Amino acid sequence: RRFQCFPPPAFTSLLLGWMPTPPFRRPIEEEALKPPFLCARLCLSPLCLLAIVLGAAPSGPGEGVHRTQLESKVGEVVPQSQSRLHSAANMPKNKSRGKDRNASSKLKETKASKKSQHEEVKDALTVVLPFNSRQDMAACLARVSAYLEDPLHHGKVCSPDKINTLVSSRYAGHNFSLESYRKVISVLGKLTPDEDRIKQAIGSACRGRSGPNVYIVAHVSDDPKTLQHEKWHATFHFDEAYRKRVSGIWGMVQKGSPAWAKQFEKHLSDKYAQHVWVDEFQAIVLNREYECATKTVNLLQSILPKKEPFMTISVKTR
């Protein structure tokens, strides 16, 4: 490579047998990462040839003692800047690797969480008790439901001779967890023959199962609409995320339609204790048992799980 003219520094380099690459031809990366004379090129000028003859020119890149010495000398001056550049270049990679590890661990935790939730839902069981008549169902379960959710007798034990006076004796269906049922049975004292009969049926169906993972619903066998209503209660019991969303929708209804909310609460207050109103709200609205805005129905339908979060078995009551 020939140059028609060169500045004094280039002339000095020629005396040493080297011609550095002009700055406008030197790549920026080499300028930043390499010492000044490592990018030098041999110039076939008379002075350069003279330097070669006199032994001043360094050897080629593969043989060079002089090149190695030059690199070591320059390396004593710039290793700090080089190490900073290399560490700066590596930092984003390390950070990105750290982020990748964190994202991977979070993904694993999410999958594990979903898996555990799936296992819990898979273990859930809803026991369906179909009765021949509402009177037969009341004789077996009215006192239990009265203790759990009657607006007047909640938490109180009613005597068997008052069963027909209870609001729960007129229920079209009944619903409660196995855990709640066992607690009520333990405080009712002596059971009636009908209550004892249904207790044996439930005990046989739920043998070896824990209370919270089993839900009990009852209905008259020729009333499938009530059965669906009771299954909404089972979904509300087993699906925590669904429960929270229903509570949020109920809060929106109370703020957005306070007149309707008060009217609906009055409808519920004659039949149920206040602690089950949100549960009854979703079951009644989804089952279209009370006039309600279409928007509210659609909201509840949109948050339902894709499939029932429980298995179902039917138990003979006679």
Side-chain angles (χ1 to χ4, degrees):
R1 200 170 358 165
R2 296 184 60 185
F3 297 97
Q4 294 179 356
C5 62
F6 42 81
F11 179 75
T12 305
S13 300
L14 285 176
L15 295 178
L16 298 175
W18 283 96
M19 171 61 75
T21 304
F24 56 83
R25 295 195 180 188
R26 188 176 302 161
I28 295 175
E29 294 79 17
E30 293 182 355
E31 184 87 6
L33 297 178
K34 294 184 179 181
F37 289 99
L38 295 185
C39 302
R41 298 291 185 272
L42 218 66
C43 179
L44 299 179
S45 65
L47 290 175
C48 183
L49 292 175
L50 179 61
I52 294 173
V53 172
L54 296 175
S59 304
E63 329 167 328
V65 176
H66 299 284
R67 184 178 180 86
T68 305
Q69 289 174 352
L70 182 60
E71 288 180 355
S72 64
K73 287 180 181 179
V74 176
E76 292 173 2
V77 179
V78 294
Q80 187 174 2
S81 61
Q82 284 184 335
S83 62
R84 285 178 183 172
L85 288 168
H86 287 301
S87 61
N90 290 333
M91 279 176 63
K93 294 182 180 178
N94 295 336
K95 287 184 179 179
S96 64
R97 288 173 185 170
K99 290 179 181 178
D100 292 342
R101 292 193 195 99
N102 292 336
S104 177
S105 62
K106 286 181 180 179
L107 181 61
K108 289 179 181 178
E109 290 175 2
T110 304
K111 289 182 178 180
S113 176
K114 288 182 178 180
K115 185 178 180 181
S116 64
Q117 289 177 4
H118 177 70
E119 289 173 352
E120 289 175 6
V121 170
K122 187 178 180 180
D123 189 49
L125 175 68
T126 295
V127 177
V128 179
L129 304 175
F131 288 88
N132 294 328
S133 66
R134 189 175 295 188
Q135 291 75 20
D136 185 26
M137 183 170 60
C140 296
L141 299 174
R143 287 210 297 162
V144 175
S145 288
Y147 188 93
L148 292 173
E149 59 186 43
D150 189 286
L152 298 176
H153 300 91
H154 170 235
K156 300 177 183 178
V157 177
C158 299
S159 60
D161 59 338
K162 292 184 178 180
I163 287 179
N164 293 330
T165 65
L166 299 173
V167 173
S168 56
S169 67
R170 298 188 292 277
Y171 283 179
H174 297 260
N175 59 279
F176 35 75
S177 67
L178 176 61
E179 185 177 33
S180 298
Y181 175 76
R182 286 172 174 172
K183 288 180 180 178
V184 175
I185 290 297
S186 66
V187 300
L188 286 182
K190 187 177 180 180
L191 302 178
T192 66
D194 290 321
E195 290 171 341
D196 189 65
R197 169 172 55 85
I198 209 67
K199 176 188 173 183
Q200 299 302 323
I202 292 173
S204 299
C206 302
R207 187 175 290 112
R209 288 186 172 268
S210 61
N213 288 339
V214 181
Y215 202 73
I216 300 168
V217 301
H219 71 113
V220 178
S221 56
D222 61 352
D223 185 5
K225 186 173 183 178
T226 295
L227 175 59
Q228 183 58 64
H229 173 107
E230 304 306 331
K231 284 186 175 182
W232 296 135
H233 287 310
T235 299
F236 187 85
H237 171 77
F238 285 120
D239 196 323
E240 182 180 2
Y242 176 68
R243 282 200 306 274
K244 291 180 179 178
R245 289 169 182 164
V246 169
S247 298
I249 292 175
W250 174 242
M252 291 170 55
V253 170
Q254 286 179 310
K255 292 180 181 179
S257 305
W260 183 91
K262 288 181 179 178
Q263 183 182 357
F264 187 72
E265 287 174 352
K266 185 178 179 181
H267 168 74
L268 295 176
S269 62
D270 296 334
K271 304 174 182 64
Y272 309 103
Q274 189 172 356
H275 69 276
V276 299
W277 284 2
V278 177
D279 189 2
E280 292 297 337
F281 159 71
Q282 58 90 28
I284 290 172
V285 171
L286 284 172
N287 227 32
R288 305 297 182 94
E289 299 169 17
Y290 194 89
E291 187 176 351
C292 180
T294 305
K295 179 181 178 181
T296 304
V297 179
N298 292 339
L299 278 174
L300 288 172
Q301 289 176 340
S302 68
I303 65 172
L304 282 169
K306 293 182 180 179
K307 62 178 183 179
E308 293 178 339
F310 51 81
M311 297 183 298
T312 303
I313 61 170
S314 184
V315 177
K316 291 183 179 181
T317 56
R318 282 201 177 270

